[in-house]
Amino acid sequence: MDTSEFNHGDGDEPIDWEKVAAHNAFVFMKATQGTQYEDPWFAEDFAAASRTNLSRAPYHFFDAQSSQDAEAQAAHFVRTAHAAGYTGHRPGELPPVLDAESGWVNKRPTCPPGTDARQLAVFLRSVEEAFGVKPIVYTEYSFVVDCLAGNSTVFRGYLQWLASWGAEPHPLPGTGQSWTFWQYTDQARVPGIPDRVDRSFYRGTLAQLRALAGMPAVTRSFATARHTRRDSGPTTDRHHSDQPKRLPEEADGR
């Protein structure tokens, strides 16, 4: 799953991370947006989640205010993540995340001014240099089509976390790869979180997820059952080439 200040009820309700960790495997947390905004809950949430067995990482919402501010956005993100104790290398830490998506104006998606492949490449390179680990990219097919002229080669070689509610995400053109994380809903209920929350699949096993987070493989005692609803509780399905394995966060998250 992924969290931000908007998952804290009216803004003053803490998340019970011990309860969340009992039935989930990973979480991405909003740290920053643009060159100035810092999520008011990020530092506290990251510290609390780090005391559990959740794999975790911060994400930055790319919000260009000019055509030349990618380095400033990266510096803001890196500084905020470091201040919260994130290094990208401690056990349990997943790679940092770039959130590249459309903005909303008058309830309609719109391409953010100043957001283009060159800016995104600068941000990704700067964050990778700062943390020494290749970032994960969160985006969606429509953003690539509408805002990058259908060409997502800038994201080639990065693990993809794709949003698609209701159907498996389309592969991003120009990357030659499929998703690693799939955000499949924004309406999930998770014990310990006051409001509805986004949830995601991880394409792989729990051991592979833990390896990505620099953690040794362990056996965890989650109930195993088959469900037809994608927003159901912890499940494990057989893995097919066209069907993700469902794990607890499942391995589940944004």
Side-chain angles (χ1 to χ4, degrees), residues 191-204:
I193 298 181
D195 281 337
R196 295 182 187 273
V197 66
D198 303 337
R199 296 199 82 187
S200 302
F201 292 125
Y202 169 71
R203 189 195 291 273

Side-chain angles (χ1 to χ4, degrees), residues 59 76 82 230-231 235:
Y59 74 87
H76 176 47
H82 274 155
R230 287 199 175 110
D231 61 347
T235 69

Side-chain angles (χ1 to χ4, degrees), residues 160-237:
Q160 295 175 12
W161 174 18
L162 303 185
S164 180
W165 302 335
E168 186 169 352
H170 292 289
L172 298 185
T175 63
Q177 62 194 86
S178 187
W179 57 272
T180 299
F181 297 90
W182 166 16
Q183 184 189 77
Y184 63 91
T185 184
D186 67 342
Q187 294 294 310
R189 289 291 190 183
V190 174
I193 298 181
D195 281 337
R196 295 182 187 273
V197 66
D198 303 337
R199 296 199 82 187
S200 302
F201 292 125
Y202 169 71
R203 189 195 291 273
T205 66
L206 183 57
Q208 289 169 331
L209 176 69
R210 290 175 63 85
L212 182 62
M215 302 169 72
V218 298
T219 300
R220 294 173 69 181
S221 57
F222 289 97
T224 300
R226 289 188 178 276
H227 298 266
T228 56
R229 292 182 56 187
R230 287 199 175 110
D231 61 347
S232 59
T235 69
T236 302
D237 291 346

Side-chain angles (χ1 to χ4, degrees), residues 69-189:
D69 67 359
E71 286 191 4
Q73 289 197 59
H76 176 47
F77 176 52
V78 170
R79 183 169 56 249
T80 302
H82 274 155
Y86 175 82
T87 69
H89 297 280
R90 289 194 176 100
E93 293 183 346
L94 292 164
V97 180
L98 162 65
D99 179 348
E101 58 181 284
S102 301
W104 289 83
V105 177
N106 296 324
K107 298 182 180 180
R108 296 178 61 87
T110 182
C111 298
T115 299
D116 54 30
R118 180 191 56 80
Q119 282 255 83
L120 295 171
V122 169
F123 181 91
L124 288 166
R125 183 173 60 251
S126 298
V127 170
E128 183 173 357
E129 290 175 353
F131 290 115
V133 61
K134 210 171 186 66
I136 294 170
V137 171
Y138 169 86
T139 192
E140 54 191 326
Y141 184 84
S142 61
F143 172 81
V144 171
V145 171
D146 296 339
C147 303
L148 298 181
N151 186 348
S152 55
T153 53
V154 64
F155 299 144
R156 182 184 295 157
Y158 294 93
L159 295 182
Q160 295 175 12
W161 174 18
L162 303 185
S164 180
W165 302 335
E168 186 169 352
H170 292 289
L172 298 185
T175 63
Q177 62 194 86
S178 187
W179 57 272
T180 299
F181 297 90
W182 166 16
Q183 184 189 77
Y184 63 91
T185 184
D186 67 342
Q187 294 294 310
R189 289 291 190 183

